[in-house]
Amino acid sequence: MDAANAHWEVGMGTVAATPSMLPPPDVPAIDQPACLRGLQALVQRIPELNRAAALPSLQALVCRVARDMVGADGASFVRRDAGDCVYEAEDAISPLWTGRRFPLKACVSGWCMLQGEPVVISDVRADPRAPQTLYRPTFVQSLVMTPIGRSDPGAAIGCYWSVPREPKPHERWLLLALAEMVAVAMDRLQQNQLLTARLDASEQALVQAQASLDDLAVTDPLTGLLSRRELSRHAERCLNQARRNGHPLAVMVIALDNPVDSESIAAFAPSDELLQSVGLVLLAQARNSDVVARDSDYSFVMLLPDTPREAAAQHAARLQYRLRMLTVGGDVLTASIGISDYVGGQSGGLDDVLTRAYGALDRARQQGGDLTVVEPR
């Protein structure tokens, strides 16, 4: 084999050679066919190495490729995990050590990764570097351990034979070439994992943002009451129910009074804390079937299904009593309330009922506030 050439004929195609891929110049003629077969086995599996979608599948593929390239009786993929070697995959004529872990300094693969150099043991039984208690139960009589990665290797490829033998130079070179390709594939997987994690985090952030937007559309962000938009949806359900069963639906509009001028909200700016407290009072006074919403800055709406206007007026009186326990600028907080209702058979929808309730509210304000007015029939 002419090492000076920048390509070799492999099977039906031509493989370009990079400097790191050039075979040793002293491959004997007798070994050149085996070298080409090994190279062909490697080249044919490059697409699979590049397509491996997860580390376990890559590890299993590496074991098969390594064994095919050099005609080994077994191959393993060993990963460095803190101070241990973990045997994570193997392809062999009989079981080796998959799933087991050993201290780095007490294992041939550990020494290989710590030193960043291949380890060749031509006779396991005669070499003190091979822990006999681990190798004696196995078929392994000789081995080559090749680090994956040139700087601080985090993994290694082990190849094993059932007879004592010295690996050929081209076999060692093929394993080094495989290790370089595996290092690239592992780096790609790591980058893909990071990218996937970032995409997942971005997707989760978008989902949370959408949920927040949906919440904002459904609820008032300050008081936690339903928004005006959501009020319309619930009102349609309540109105349909009233149409079907003929039961009354009371609609109550509550507006905070200006301590200075009950007929105007000018120069009246209750704090966020006060508005939140009002929201809590309204929720505390509502039944499970009631609908409570914030309609504007200082007004609120309650829908009371199956409630006649007289019962709604009593509910309003209790509500005003609880609101007077709050203060604004040192004054007792008061509220004006307008009540209307919808009875099955009436025409119109929520806007019509609200218009009548707001008309009753205006009359309550005109009479000095802190008052409930029920729309006359």
Side-chain angles (χ1 to χ4, degrees):
M1 180 179 296
D2 185 359
N5 291 334
H7 68 275
W8 320 291
E9 294 297 328
V10 181
M12 297 295 293
T14 300
V15 179
T18 63
S20 63
M21 288 285 289
L22 288 175
D26 56 350
V27 177
I30 193 173
D31 291 330
Q32 289 183 12
C35 182
L36 281 174
R37 285 193 299 272
L39 181 60
Q40 184 178 24
L42 174 59
V43 171
Q44 288 177 342
R45 306 309 272 278
I46 289 176
E48 291 182 69
L49 292 169
N50 290 332
R51 287 196 305 267
L55 185 58
S57 58
L58 176 65
Q59 292 171 334
L61 177 60
V62 169
C63 292
R64 293 195 300 273
V65 175
R67 188 176 173 188
D68 290 345
M69 283 194 319
V70 297
D73 296 313
S76 66
F77 189 104
V78 191
R79 185 177 58 85
R80 182 175 180 175
D81 182 21
D84 290 338
C85 299
V86 183
Y87 283 74
E88 295 194 330
E90 65 182 38
D91 186 298
I93 58 176
S94 63
L96 292 171
W97 308 282
T98 296
R100 299 183 64 182
R101 60 194 306 140
F102 308 101
L104 279 171
K105 296 183 178 180
C107 184
V108 174
S109 58
W111 189 95
C112 170
M113 287 184 276
L114 287 172
Q115 301 299 319
E117 297 177 4
V119 177
V120 175
I121 297 181
S122 57
D123 187 347
V124 166
R125 300 294 184 260
D127 197 308
R129 293 175 297 176
Q132 296 302 309
T133 54
L134 297 181
Y135 285 92
R136 190 175 297 113
T138 72
F139 68 85
V140 178
Q141 297 289 320
S142 57
L143 65 88
V144 176
M145 189 66 65
T146 306
I148 297 174
R150 297 184 179 183
S151 176
D152 192 24
I157 303 168
C159 281
Y160 314 96
W161 289 266
S162 58
V163 295
R165 69 187 294 273
E166 184 73 26
K168 303 293 182 66
H170 74 269
E171 294 172 342
R172 298 176 59 179
W173 170 80
L174 285 170
L175 290 171
L176 285 171
L178 173 62
E180 287 190 18
M181 294 180 184
V182 175
V184 172
M186 290 179 65
D187 183 64
R188 175 184 56 80
L189 283 178
Q190 184 178 27
Q191 294 301 319
N192 287 347
Q193 289 174 348
L194 291 174
L195 179 59
T196 300
R198 289 173 185 163
L199 290 174
D200 288 344
S202 298
E203 182 180 3
Q204 183 62 32
L206 288 174
V207 170
Q208 292 174 349
Q210 184 62 52
S212 298
L213 290 174
D214 291 343
D215 287 344
L216 288 175
V218 169
T219 62
D220 170 57
L222 180 61
T223 63
L225 304 178
L226 294 179
S227 65
R228 181 67 172 82
R229 172 184 173 184
E230 190 68 5
L231 171 65
S232 299
R233 189 176 70 82
H234 282 269
E236 189 63 30
R237 174 179 56 80
C238 292
L239 287 170
N240 288 335
Q241 179 181 337
R243 292 187 186 105
R244 286 195 306 271
N245 59 30
H247 295 174
L249 169 67
V251 178
M252 184 187 302
V253 178
I254 306 104
L256 305 182
D257 291 331
N258 185 334
V260 178
D261 182 359
S262 64
E263 295 187 42
S264 172
I265 62 170
F268 177 45
S271 65
D272 289 349
E273 291 77 11
L274 178 63
L275 291 172
Q276 289 170 346
S277 297
V278 170
L280 290 174
V281 170
L282 295 177
L283 287 174
Q285 294 299 306
R287 303 166 301 182
N288 290 337
S289 59
D290 295 342
V291 177
V292 188
R294 186 180 181 188
D295 194 38
S296 66
D297 287 346
Y298 313 121
S299 66
F300 306 85
V301 174
M302 292 187 71
L303 306 181
L304 296 91
D306 302 320
T307 305
R309 57 176 54 201
E310 296 78 10
Q314 295 174 2
H315 188 89
R318 292 191 295 271
L319 186 58
Q320 287 174 315
Y321 174 77
R322 292 300 304 271
L323 289 173
R324 291 189 192 102
M325 297 180 183
L326 304 177
T327 60
V328 52
D331 295 314
V332 172
L333 177 68
T334 62
S336 297
I337 299 178
I339 296 176
S340 182
D341 65 354
Y342 177 90
V343 180
Q346 287 182 216
S347 60
L350 175 65
D351 289 341
D352 293 329
V353 184
L354 278 177
T355 297
R356 297 198 301 271
Y358 268 107
L361 172 66
D362 290 340
R363 289 191 288 279
R365 283 175 166 172
Q366 291 166 4
Q367 297 178 49
D370 192 21
L371 187 67
T372 298
V373 172
V374 181
E375 175 222 8
R377 290 196 183 278

